Structures are given as structure tokens and as C-alpha cells.
Amino acid sequence: MAVDTGGKLVEEGAEWFTTLIENVKKEISSPTELIAFAIHGFMLDLDFIVREQNLEKSEIPSSWKTSAGIVFKYNYKNTEVQAQITIFNLGKFIQIHGFIPSASESFTVCLKQG
């Protein structure tokens, strides 16, 4: 059971985020997957909405694991603006790639493991 610290944001211990992490613990098998869900939580904090309909913030998107890595697809609030975050291992690195289709913009960051 999640502990409500009274916070509304991820970094304040938001109840929806602690519940999400509790729900996904059984499915997480690597540090990359844990980082992916932390990033997913921050995207939700920024008012992005998972494209799957009727999905609560604390629920796990059904298609998060793919052959391309970990993929989260979002709309910004209730607009047509879309974003996609793809996270995967690249040797000793974790690559995080963000893409905004409407603007044809992409952003990438690499984190070194261990």
C-alpha cells in the first residue's frame, strides 16, 4: 500500500506515483526499467496523458515493453500534441529518446550505467 505524504508531485511523494511504482515492481527487472518509470512519472507530472484511453496515472500502460525498448506514448493534456519517449540499453549506456511528431523534433540523452 502506498504511503500518502501529502505531496502532489513525484518528488513530493505523490500517492499516484508511489502506487504506480508498487504496481509495476513485479514487472521491473532492470535499473533501465526503473529509470523509465521515473521518467514516465515526470511526464505525467508535466500534464502529459498516456494515449491509452481511461488510464489512471497510477496504472501501468499495457504496451510499455516493446522490441525497440521501453516506449511511452503521450498526448499533452487534452490536445492533439503528441510525444513519445523511448528508453533502451546501448552497451554501458541507457539512451532516452524523446520525439514530438508534429514538430519533427527529437531529443536524446545517454546515461552511463555503473
Side-chain angles (χ1 to χ4, degrees), residues 35-52:
I35 288 170
F37 273 93
I39 291 168
H40 174 63
F42 286 119
M43 291 295 286
L44 297 174
D45 253 1
L46 293 170
D47 290 328
F48 283 87
I49 300 166
V50 176
R51 281 192 224 166
E52 292 180 31

Side-chain angles (χ1 to χ4, degrees), residues 64-82:
W64 68 280
K65 279 188 182 182
T66 72
S67 58
I70 300 161
V71 178
F72 295 108
K73 296 179 181 181
Y74 306 95
N75 282 356
Y76 183 66
K77 296 187 179 182
N78 290 318
T79 69
E80 295 297 316
V81 176
Q82 296 182 344

